[in-house]
Amino acid sequence: QKEVEQDPGPLSVPEGAIVSLNCTYSNSAFQYFMWYRQYSRKGPELLMYTYSSGNKEDGRFTAQVDKSSKYISLFIRDSQPSDSATYLCAMNNNAGNMLTFGGGTRLMVKP
Amino acid sequence: KAGVTQTPRYLIKTRGQQVTLSCSPISGHRSVSWYQQTPGQGLQFLFEYFSETQRNKGNFPGRFSGRQFSNSRSEMNVSTLELGDSALYLCASSSGRIQETQYFGPGTRLLVL
């Protein structure tokens, strides 16, 4: 079993929908949680960075972390066709800059 | 500020050959991490260099190695290439402090025939 599990999708939604993306993890040492967006043939781009449990909002994006359930989420409000990409969750512990990634969820937002 | 640059962008090699990939971090960044991305295994950490020293290492065989120069530029080398080494190799840079945000380059796509 992988340390970080993520539904690969694809997830197809209409423009304007609220999108929910999720990851579960097994390593309780993870303290820092990130969401990256990756367009085809590009490197991952950081969207959200959170520490420990709680919510963080940035524009149309909201990240949630529930450490007791080992579960993190990314919500995208008013989704746009330009949001179509692969979304990767990533996390690490206090030991260094080694990120452990989920497998990514492919999102398609239809006009 | 210029982003992370990686060269070359695409590479085709044959089994048994070796390859060297290059990464130039964001100006002022001192940490460079390397990741391998494949459809089957996803993104996996290879190693991190900080101030010319390897600070962390992932679970990859010794055929994968790297180094960092005094100007923070980094190279990774894969010797005795195998078909399974075909992947997108991504470099990420950060300031060097632990838990600082990592910024990824566009990657080098390696195809091993």
Side-chain angles (χ1 to χ4, degrees):
Chain A
Q1 187 183 3
K2 292 185 176 181
E3 274 190 295
V4 182
E5 298 281 356
Q6 187 175 5
D7 187 330
L11 179 62
S12 181
V13 301
E15 184 176 352
I18 296 175
V19 175
S20 172
L21 304 167
N22 311 293
C23 286
T24 58
Y25 63 95
S26 56
N27 188 345
S28 57
F30 288 140
Q31 299 283 341
Y32 300 85
F33 305 92
M34 288 134 272
W35 286 95
Y36 283 85
R37 176 175 63 194
Q38 186 175 25
Y39 292 112
S40 180
R41 302 196 175 278
K42 301 279 188 182
E45 169 196 12
L46 182 68
L47 287 175
M48 301 290 283
Y49 184 112
T50 56
Y51 168 71
S52 202
S53 287
N55 292 359
K56 183 176 181 179
E57 188 174 320
D58 184 1
R60 295 185 297 113
F61 300 93
T62 299
Q64 282 186 354
V65 174
D66 182 348
K67 288 192 67 183
S68 62
S69 302
K70 297 190 178 68
Y71 188 87
I72 68 170
S73 301
L74 178 71
F75 297 95
I76 307 175
R77 290 183 298 280
D78 187 25
S79 56
Q80 302 295 310
S82 58
D83 294 328
S84 298
T86 295
Y87 289 79
L88 298 148
C89 64
M91 45 200 80
N92 64 354
N93 54 30
N94 289 319
N97 286 328
M98 183 183 87
L99 296 180
T100 302
F101 281 86
T105 299
R106 193 155 73 92
L107 171 67
M108 294 185 293
V109 181
K110 297 181 178 179
Chain B
K1 205 182 238 188
V4 178
T5 58
Q6 292 186 245
T7 57
R9 293 293 311 279
Y10 303 94
L11 209 49
I12 300 175
K13 292 285 187 179
T14 56
R15 276 183 301 173
Q17 287 186 310
Q18 74 165 14
V19 67
T20 299
L21 312 180
S22 181
C23 171
S24 292
I26 292 171
S27 177
H29 282 187
R30 297 169 62 194
S31 167
V32 173
S33 298
W34 288 89
Y35 293 82
Q36 181 196 65
Q37 187 174 30
T38 60
Q41 298 299 316
L43 260 159
Q44 293 184 285
F45 174 80
L46 281 156
F47 30 65
E48 179 202 8
Y49 285 87
F50 175 73
S51 291
E52 302 178 64
T53 301
Q54 189 179 85
R55 185 159 68 174
N56 286 293
K57 188 178 189 304
N59 294 323
F60 278 82
R63 299 186 297 108
F64 292 82
S65 62
R67 60 177 176 168
Q68 187 179 33
F69 302 96
S70 58
N71 62 357
S72 295
R73 189 177 70 86
S74 177
E75 289 181 347
M76 69 162 281
N77 183 276
V78 188
S79 62
T80 319
L81 283 167
E82 300 177 359
L83 296 179
D85 296 334
S86 295
L88 179 67
Y89 289 89
L90 291 157
C91 162
S93 82
S94 69
S95 66
R97 292 190 296 273
I98 301 298
Q99 312 308 346
E100 275 294 307
T101 301
Q102 294 187 45
Y103 298 89
F104 282 83
T108 294
R109 190 165 294 278
L110 172 64
L111 177 61
V112 182
L113 301 176

